Structure formats: structure tokens, C-alpha cells
């Protein structure tokens, strides 16, 4: 089912890519093959913790990959927001005398 | 001891991620220091916005204009910083400090391409029942692709193939951003506990 879905999606994506390149005169990007798209989609699926940790990681449909991608990005956004909250309480100022500054300096060198 | 090819790739990936984290931390701290020095008295919620916007600008600027999402994010985050500065700064200083935002903008503006909105419609002929499953799957993919386009900065004007490439890069950058911010928060909490 998923291989069928992936090739179907690859065809759909390649067609939409061709339409776009016909309309935009300045896009110099080479046309992308089905195999490249399938490779990209599987690369994406390997980045997603939900799919990477499941046993069926080789048989995931393209729509599932898209769904998990969106969930993962939303989670990452939420994490950044929460961490900004925490840090705003912890860091009154990033001045040169704070202990964090010394540690950060050593990390950046 | 011999390294398998996949082990070598993993080491390479880890090393490149480590250097990305270092670059991000450096840019982010520069932004915080620059802004913090021009506006020392801030509320907690103002600080949160500065921290978050600086982090986004830092994350995007290490791309050096190579990806569309990073150029779009710099635009958005810089606008946030500018409106923030206008309302926050009440005194009139002689020399304006170059903000991380304006520096990042200069780097990105070299490679900004015009975005085009592509809208095409295909009229589909009535389908026999056996093809309905395929068209449902296609519609689901299309719907979810649209959701993804709204989540990735600058995604609305990307074609589907570029969208996947940009998404891969965006996710990796977000992971770097989260890892560094989390490490800083944990370290800071640890230091304050003493």
C-alpha cells in the first residue's frame, strides 16, 4: 500500500513541479525524479521520532509522513516557546559577569 | 578498529550538528547581548519575546540565505524585533547599535528571490469507483501538504518538491535550536540552584 502511495505521490509531486516550472521563467532547478522524491520522503520519515521508533518504519504512507511531520514541527515550536519562557525567568541579563556568560564563552571559542 | 560506512556517516552527521549548535549559540548570544545592552530594563514577557526572536533570527542566519524558510523567517522575526524596539525604546541614543536582525537581514538580502504565488486548478473528470480510493488518498496528501506549507516559513509559495527539501532542513535547524536552548536552560537552572 505504501509503495503504491509513494509512487503515486511522487507522480503527483513531479507533475506539480513541472507546472510550476513552466510558469516561472527564472527557476533554473533541474526536474526532480520519482526516486529522488521517494528518497526525500523516506529521509523525512527517518527524522520523525514517531515513525523512526515504530516497527513499521519501511511501510509508511506518504500522507502519514506528512501528518507526522506537521505534528513534529508543531511540537518543536511548542518546545521553543516553553524554553523561551523558562529562559526569560532565568536570564535577567546576559552580562559579562554572569556565570553563564563564562561557560558560554568557553563553548563558543 | 574498522568503522562501517554507516558509522562514518553518523560521526560526520554528529560533527556537523555540533558545529551548527556552536554557530547558533554564538549568533544567538550576539543578538541577546546587542539588544540587551540597548534596553536593560525589561519585563519578563518582553525578555521572552527577545529571547525567542533572537533565537529564530540566529537559527535562520546561520543558513546564510541558502534556504527559503530561513529568508522568510528572518523577514518575519526582524519585523517583530523592529515593532518591539519602537514601543520599548523611549530614550534617544546618539549611535544606533547594529542589531543582529539588521545584520542577518543584510546577509539574507543578497539572496532573496521573489516569491511567486502559484495557483493552478485541474478539472477532474467523473471517476469510476475503483479509482476513488486513489483520489481520496491524493486529496489527503494535498490537504496535509497545505498544512505543512503553513507551518514552514515561506512555505505558501513553494512547489511540493522544494517543500520537502526545505522541511528537512527546517526540522534539522529546529532540532539544533531546541537542543541548545534546552542545554542553556538546564545549565542556568543548575547554576542558580547553588
Amino acid at each position: 500500500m505504501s509503495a503504491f502511495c509513494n509512487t503515486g505521490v511522487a507522480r503527483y509531486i513531479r507533475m506539480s513541479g513541472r507546472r510550476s516550472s513552466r510558469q516561472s521563467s527564472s527557476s533554473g532547478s533541474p526536474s526532480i525524479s520519482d526516486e529522488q522524491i521517494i528518497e526525500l520522503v523516506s529521509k523525512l520519515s527517518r527524522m520523525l521520532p514517531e515513525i523512526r521508533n515504530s516497527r513499521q518504519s519501511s511501510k509508511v504512507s506518504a500522507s502519514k509522513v506528512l501528518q507526522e511531520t506537521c505534528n513534529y514541527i508543531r511540537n518543536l515550536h511548542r518546545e521553543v516557546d516553553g524554553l523561551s519562557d523558562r529562559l526569560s525567568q532565568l536570564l535577567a541579563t546576559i552580562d559579562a559577569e554572569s556565570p553563564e556568560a563564562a561557560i558560554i564563552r568557553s563553548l563558543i571559542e | 578498529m574498522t568503522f562501517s560506512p554507516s558509522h562514518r556517516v553518523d560521526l560526520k552527521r554528529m560533527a556537523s550538528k555540533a558545529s551548527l549548535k556552536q554557530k547558533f549559540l554564538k549568533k544567538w548570544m550576539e543578538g541577546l547581548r546587542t539588544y540587551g545592552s540597548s534596553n536593560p530594563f525589561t519585563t519578563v514577557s518582553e525578555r521572552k519575546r527577545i529571547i525567542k526572536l533572537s533565537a529564530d533570527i540566529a537559527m535562520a542566519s546561520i543558513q546564510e540565505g541558502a534556504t527559503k524558510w530561513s529568508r522568510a523567517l528572518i523577514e518575519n522575526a526582524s519585523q517583530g524585533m523592529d515593532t518591539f524596539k519602537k514601543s520599548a525604546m523611549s530614550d534617544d541614543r546618539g549611535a544606533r547599535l547594529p542589531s543582529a536582525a539588521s545584520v542577518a537581514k543584510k546577509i539574507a538580502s543578497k539572496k532573496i528571490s521573489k516569491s511567486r504565488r502559484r495557483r493552478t486548478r485541474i478539472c477532474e473528470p467523473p471517476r469510476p469507483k475503483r479509482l476513488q480510493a486513489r483520489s481520496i488518498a491524493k486529496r489527503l496528501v494535498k490537504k496535509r501538504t497545505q498544512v505543512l506549507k503553513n507551518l514552514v516559513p515561506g512555505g505558501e509559495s513553494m512547489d511540493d518538491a522544494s517543500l520537502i527539501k526545505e522541511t528537512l532542513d527546517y526540522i534539522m535547524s529546529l532540532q539544533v535550536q531546541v537542543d541548545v536552548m534546552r542545554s542553556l536552560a538546564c545549565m542556568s537552572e543548575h547554576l542558580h540552584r547553588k
Side-chain angles (χ1 to χ4, degrees), chain A residues 39 43 46, chain B residues 3-17 172:
Chain A
E39 175 58 32
K43 251 194 202 165
R46 270 176 267 147
Chain B
F3 287 112
S4 66
S6 62
H7 190 163
R8 234 176 280 131
V9 168
D10 286 341
L11 286 175
K12 239 184 173 178
R13 206 177 291 143
M14 270 167 32
S16 66
K17 228 178 182 179
M172 197 159 73

Side-chain angles (χ1 to χ4, degrees), chain B residues 97-126:
Chain B
L97 295 159
S99 66
S102 61
V103 170
K105 248 184 169 172
K106 274 190 202 131
I107 297 170
S109 63
K110 289 178 191 163
K111 298 187 184 179
I112 285 180
S113 59
K114 293 193 189 117
S115 67
R116 281 184 185 80
R117 274 186 117 204
R118 300 183 186 99
R119 281 231 181 102
T120 53
R121 274 262 176 95
I122 303 175
C123 294
E124 294 177 12

Side-chain angles (χ1 to χ4, degrees), chain B residues 35 41 65 69 75 78 85 90 100 115 126 141-142 158 175 189:
Chain B
Y35 191 79
F41 303 111
W69 71 261
E75 279 295 310
S78 304
K85 255 192 259 176
S90 51
S115 67
V141 166
K142 194 167 186 180
M158 287 180 201
Q175 288 171 338
E189 270 164 7

Side-chain angles (χ1 to χ4, degrees), chain B residues 167-180:
Chain B
T167 301
L168 277 166
D169 198 79
Y170 183 51
I171 287 182
M172 197 159 73
S173 301
L174 280 173
Q175 288 171 338
V176 167
Q177 185 186 50
V178 164
D179 282 350
V180 174

Side-chain angles (χ1 to χ4, degrees), chain A residues 72 77 79 81 86 100 107, chain B residues 22 170 175 182 188-189:
Chain A
Y72 189 44
H77 286 168
E79 274 211 77
D81 199 76
R86 266 167 81 186
E100 290 95 339
L107 288 170
Chain B
Q22 200 183 36
Y170 183 51
Q175 288 171 338
R182 195 187 296 132
S188 203
E189 270 164 7

Side-chain angles (χ1 to χ4, degrees), chain B residues 49-91:
Chain B
R49 258 193 96 193
I50 296 169
I51 286 170
K52 187 156 187 223
L53 289 173
S54 308
D56 281 344
I57 290 171
M59 170 174 77
S61 70
I62 59 182
Q63 292 280 306
E64 294 174 345
T67 52
K68 191 165 189 187
W69 71 261
S70 61
R71 300 194 295 266
L73 184 55
I74 285 174
E75 279 295 310
N76 298 341
S78 304
Q79 278 169 24
M81 279 294 220
D82 289 341
T83 55
F84 193 87
K85 255 192 259 176
K86 278 178 195 153
S87 58
M89 280 171 87
S90 51
D91 60 349

